[in-house]
Amino acid sequence: MLDTLDAAAVRRWCAGGLAALRRHQGEIDDLNVYPVPDGDTGTNLVLTLTSAQQALAMDLATLPDGGSTAHGHALRLMARGALLGARGNSGVILSQILRGLADTLAAAPAVRGRQLAAALGDATAAAYSAVAQPVEGTVLSVVAAAARAADSADSDDLPTVARAAAGAAAEALARTPEQLPALARAGVVDAGGRGLCLLLDALVEVVTGESPRRPAPAPRPVRPPATADRETGSTDYAYEVQFLLDADADAVARMRQTLAGLGDSLVVVGDGATDAASATWNVHVHVNDVGAAVEAGVEAGRPHRISVTRFADQPPAAPAVAAHGTAAPAGDGRAAVVVASGAGIAELFTGEGATVVPGNPSTGELLDAIRATAAARVVVLPNDPNTQAVANAAAREAHALGVRVSVVPTRSPVQALAALAVRDPQRRFADDVIAMAEAAGACRYAEVCWASREALTVAGPCRPGDVLALVEGEVHLIGADLADTCTAVVDRMLGGGGELVTLLSGADAPEGLADAVAEHVARRWPFVEVQAYAGGQPHYPLLVGVE
């Protein structure tokens, strides 16, 4: 057994954790909260930790000392590699957990039980800070439980604390379906939490020489929809405002009070800078008065990377957004970087003057694309909820290099097309980002795919092979015929208003699917404009946007 965690043990932990994730990669990928065939959490965790291991392959002796110990250097390399290779929400959160461990343990003369407990506490804080709206029943709950158990162990014995943390994490993972209705509906535990449990078990094995024998979490009975409430959040506020803020702690405290009076879902987290005057804060709030929220930031310090998302389900009854075929010049030192899966979608974005990055990128790949634009101000459109955290991490890295990056939280390629269509290099950059965010938020989106597993959804039970229509990420329709389901979901969306429909046919779409839906819209909704393109995206035969 090890009394302390040295650099060699850190290397063995990284290698053992990566091996465990690879063994269970398919299992973690299958922990989907909805029955669509794009689960990739296991793959993202493997890719993230692979990057960490590659960073550890560097010769530690060549690194600048900086006051860190050998094990501190190893942990910092591991955390930095994970950050640059992070893919998906799970990868970004894992990189922050490793950063929290490294920040605490880097200068510690020895890593024993109490030091590990303190580091897990800081890792938990870093993980929660990485998420604008922390949700319990996820990997956050798992790492928090591990930290509490490590602290309660109240021991300098490293094996004792490591075992306590791993055991509590496993128990917390089993409770995640009780905390998160989407997991309960699908009868699974949280995928990211499962991955973290494997990493903590790998740490126990390195420290004790014994491998914890824990069976894979058994599927839970699927609860009926009536007992699984949707988590929709507050409906009192129309806008989500996010920005980074350079300010001191006292000014931030005053801003908190102002923002608390303007809205809800307020989250303000700092970067941990020891110099309060140079600290950077991540601010998130839901409000109705966007201007007042931004003004509160201006009064506190220097806000930047401002993004605004409108939650309204219905687009404004004003002019239709311009056709998506006209490219907006980058000009004035600006550029757009867009994540795209599918050759047709990539071609559309290239035609809009954007730099295209293939789907599911790492932080490093997005950062490379941002730097390759050679622009001083860059907007990033992730087009996937799972890629947004990666985009935010790349933006933070770019900021350190002097590039101003704003992430517009697009969740679908059709929202990115709407955002790019209103881009105007003559506006101030911050105003242009707000206009793009509003255009994206006003574009409702839907995805049509085939179910890959039996599950209960809010639209009822589905079986493998059923056609699912998801609106804003939630299953709304279950059908047997692809074309009929596609036209039905378009009708449902247009029932709430709309002047422009964008259709993107996927790689697996039967020939003529988008044309058939377009003809249906022309007959049923004669005053609605339709644009249909061959998107070539995987998994989804049809993507729909309504503006």
Side-chain angles (χ1 to χ4, degrees):
M1 291 193 183
L2 297 181
D3 293 329
T4 185
L5 196 68
D6 57 17
V10 171
R11 290 171 175 269
R12 293 198 303 275
W13 175 39
C14 186
L18 179 56
L21 287 173
R22 283 174 172 160
R23 286 194 303 270
H24 296 272
Q25 180 175 342
E27 170 206 324
I28 298 174
D29 278 344
D30 286 341
L31 294 176
N32 295 331
V33 297
Y34 277 112
V36 295
D38 61 351
D40 56 4
T41 297
T43 301
N44 288 339
L45 289 173
V46 165
L47 292 172
T48 300
L49 207 61
T50 296
S51 181
Q53 189 181 48
Q54 290 170 347
L56 275 171
M58 296 175 61
D59 183 1
L60 294 179
T62 66
L63 294 175
D65 182 14
S68 291
T69 60
H71 65 262
H73 275 316
L75 286 166
R76 288 200 183 281
L77 280 172
M78 188 176 172
R80 177 70 174 172
L83 174 64
L84 293 180
R87 294 176 189 261
N89 230 21
S90 54
V92 171
I93 292 174
L94 173 60
S95 75
Q96 293 306 291
I97 291 172
L98 294 175
R99 192 212 82 192
L101 290 171
D103 286 350
T104 303
L105 300 176
V111 179
R112 295 191 171 88
R114 285 189 171 84
Q115 286 77 27
L116 177 60
L120 283 171
D122 289 344
T124 300
Y128 273 84
S129 296
V131 181
Q133 295 175 277
V135 175
E136 299 305 320
T138 65
V139 63
L140 299 177
S141 302
V142 177
V143 70
R148 287 192 298 269
D151 183 64
S152 297
D154 193 23
S155 173
D156 272 330
D157 184 63
L158 183 60
T160 297
V161 174
R163 286 190 180 113
E171 294 173 0
L173 176 67
R175 292 193 299 271
T176 55
E178 301 168 10
Q179 298 171 289
L180 195 57
L183 297 176
R185 286 197 293 270
V188 297
V189 296
D190 178 69
R194 172 62 170 148
L196 179 61
C197 285
L198 291 171
L199 288 180
L200 291 175
D201 283 344
L203 179 61
V204 170
E205 186 171 2
V206 167
V207 170
T208 67
E210 303 169 359
S211 177
R213 299 299 177 186
R214 304 189 209 279
R220 293 190 167 218
V222 179
R223 288 162 51 185
T227 63
D229 298 329
R230 287 185 58 187
E231 289 196 355
T232 55
S234 171
T235 59
D236 294 335
Y237 301 99
Y239 294 91
E240 177 189 59
V241 178
Q242 298 183 74
F243 53 86
L244 292 182
L245 178 69
D246 297 335
D248 61 48
D250 291 340
V252 169
R254 292 191 295 271
M255 181 197 65
R256 279 182 196 266
Q257 293 182 342
T258 301
L259 292 180
L262 291 173
D264 67 2
S265 298
L266 175 62
V267 179
V268 181
V269 295
D271 63 357
T274 55
D275 182 1
S278 63
T280 298
W281 306 79
N282 192 317
V283 181
H284 170 276
V285 67
H286 292 180
V287 296
N288 287 323
D289 190 339
V290 173
V294 175
E295 183 62 28
V298 172
E299 291 178 0
R302 187 180 74 86
H304 50 99
R305 282 181 48 208
I306 301 168
S307 76
V308 178
T309 303
R310 185 165 62 183
F311 295 135
D313 289 332
Q314 300 197 10
V321 177
H324 297 315
T326 304
D332 197 27
R334 302 185 194 182
V337 173
V338 188
V339 179
S341 297
I345 295 176
E347 186 176 348
L348 286 172
F349 289 138
T350 301
E352 293 283 356
T355 297
V356 178
V357 179
N360 196 30
S362 68
T363 305
E365 288 169 344
L366 266 182
L367 181 60
D368 287 344
I370 292 168
R371 296 178 67 181
T373 66
R377 290 167 288 184
V378 179
V379 63
V380 177
L381 307 169
N383 294 339
D384 182 337
N386 208 33
T387 304
Q388 185 173 336
V390 174
N392 290 335
R396 288 193 294 270
E397 292 296 308
H399 177 69
L401 299 173
V403 182
R404 183 179 178 185
V405 178
S406 288
V407 179
V408 175
T410 52
R411 301 168 69 87
S412 171
V414 293
Q415 290 187 319
L417 288 171
L420 290 171
V422 302
R423 202 164 40 137
D424 183 356
Q426 303 305 314
R427 278 193 292 248
R428 289 193 317 121
F429 180 66
D431 293 338
D432 205 30
V433 170
I434 290 175
M436 294 175 70
E438 289 183 339
C443 178
R444 292 164 292 157
Y445 69 94
E447 304 148 320
V448 181
C449 62
W450 289 283
S452 63
R453 63 191 292 174
E454 184 173 345
L456 282 174
T457 75
V458 294
C462 71
R463 298 177 177 82
D466 284 348
V467 181
L468 305 181
L470 295 86
V471 179
E472 309 285 333
E474 190 74 89
V475 177
H476 275 223
L477 294 171
I478 301 173
D481 181 81
L482 177 63
D484 289 347
T485 306
C486 289
T487 56
V489 74
V490 172
D491 285 343
R492 177 168 293 193
M493 295 174 74
L494 285 174
E499 299 175 350
L500 173 65
V501 173
T502 302
L503 305 173
L504 299 176
S505 57
D508 299 328
E511 187 175 354
L513 175 64
D515 290 338
V517 176
E519 291 170 2
H520 169 83
V521 173
R523 291 192 304 269
R524 180 79 181 271
W525 309 91
F527 298 106
V528 174
E529 181 184 354
V530 182
Q531 296 178 349
Y533 306 100
Q537 70 273 4
H539 306 310
Y540 299 99
L542 191 69
L543 298 178
V544 181
V546 174
E547 303 170 46

